[in-house]
Amino acid sequence: MKKENLKVLVVLTSHDQLGNTGAKTGFWVEEFAAPYYVMADAGVAITIASPKGGQPPIDPKSALPDFQTAATKRFDADMELQNKLANSIVLTEVDEQDYDAIFYPGGHGPLWDLANDKTSIALIESFWKHNKPVAAVCHAPGVFRFVKNVDGIPLVQGKKVTGFSNSEEEAVQLTDVVPFLVEDELVKLGGHYSKAADWSSHVVKDGKLITGQNPGSSEETAKELLALLEQ
């Protein structure tokens, strides 16, 4: 398949409340921006969707100086992408048949909405059923919580996976705030979970399933997805 004909659906959270802390959450800018540019620069057509449509909430912490990267700086100066992001389409209007792969950036938001979103769950199952790549980074592998494969067993069961580790959640002091821990959930579902040192890039591919551990893994996760699509 020629890469300039490829179409990828990027699904972002619509959830902006960090539990009952009163603090805001959403998606992590790096985990959206880095994969977006990896794919867009390779000629991939990208559609952005979210449960509520419109502007998906950005985790305010991800916009702090400490977390800026070349991709986030490019995003900050990219009015065209910011406008596209502000007009994300409603997830229920998405048709799996229109895309070659699906990608989920993280941030804590997805743990509350996308992990339980029936439309998102059905979409992932449809992509999987039709042998299309499914990728998620950092907290986003949590969206597989209720996803089943065609045999009715958890999608991640028996598969090599990664995602935000318990020790990383502990480091950001949100272990008792999140509705579930990504590492624990993937293990509970029967996934063969692996992790690297906290904050280092770690990406795992098992067939058409690609997962990345943390924000530092987002670019590599997208590169693995691109490689898979270009085969």
Side-chain angles (χ1 to χ4, degrees):
M1 191 181 287
K2 288 186 177 178
K3 59 187 175 184
E4 60 266 23
N5 298 329
L6 292 169
K7 295 177 181 173
V8 173
L9 180 69
V10 171
V11 181
L12 292 169
T13 181
S14 291
H15 185 87
D16 70 351
Q17 296 296 315
L18 193 60
N20 54 12
T21 62
K24 292 288 189 183
T25 190
F27 73 89
W28 200 259
V29 176
E30 159 71 13
E31 296 168 29
F32 164 71
Y36 186 94
Y37 289 125
V38 164
M39 293 187 284
D41 289 349
V44 176
I46 299 165
T47 298
I48 304 168
S50 61
K52 294 180 181 176
Q55 175 70 55
I58 292 172
D59 187 317
K61 283 189 176 167
S62 72
L64 294 174
D66 283 359
F67 303 115
Q68 299 319 296
T69 64
T72 65
K73 288 171 184 169
R74 183 175 168 187
F75 168 76
D76 288 340
D78 189 342
M79 292 302 125
E80 188 180 344
L81 179 53
Q82 287 185 41
N83 184 58
K84 183 176 178 178
L85 177 68
N87 293 282
S88 75
I89 65 172
V90 180
L91 203 52
T92 51
E93 295 174 2
V94 168
D95 187 338
E96 165 267 323
Q97 294 180 2
D98 295 336
Y99 304 96
D100 301 297
I102 191 167
F103 186 97
Y104 283 78
H108 285 88
L111 299 186
W112 277 276
D113 65 349
L114 290 170
N116 303 293
D117 188 286
K118 287 181 170 57
T119 303
S120 175
I121 292 164
L123 258 181
I124 297 168
E125 290 177 346
S126 188
F127 272 85
W128 193 256
K129 180 182 176 182
H130 294 104
N131 203 30
K132 296 177 180 179
V134 172
V137 66
C138 199
H139 284 88
V143 306
F144 302 138
R145 191 179 197 192
F146 298 117
V147 176
K148 305 281 200 294
N149 70 14
V150 288
D151 300 324
I153 62 171
L155 175 69
V156 301
Q157 187 175 315
K159 292 187 181 63
K160 293 179 281 191
V161 288
T162 189
F164 205 58
S165 66
N166 290 352
S167 53
E168 286 168 324
E169 201 68 81
E170 190 66 38
V172 298
Q173 300 181 320
L174 291 173
T175 302
D176 298 327
V177 173
V178 292
F180 62 93
L181 294 167
V182 175
E183 177 181 336
D184 283 357
E185 191 64 26
L186 292 172
V187 170
K188 191 172 92 177
L189 291 167
H192 298 311
Y193 179 89
S194 65
K195 60 183 173 182
D198 288 2
W199 316 116
S200 63
S201 180
H202 180 60
V203 178
V204 175
K205 181 167 79 73
D206 192 328
K208 294 287 177 76
L209 183 66
I210 303 167
T211 48
Q213 182 178 327
N214 48 34
S217 313
S218 56
E219 191 168 307
E220 204 55 46
T221 303
K223 286 178 179 175
E224 285 284 353
L225 175 58
L226 198 57
L228 202 54
L229 286 169
E230 291 175 345
Q231 282 177 4

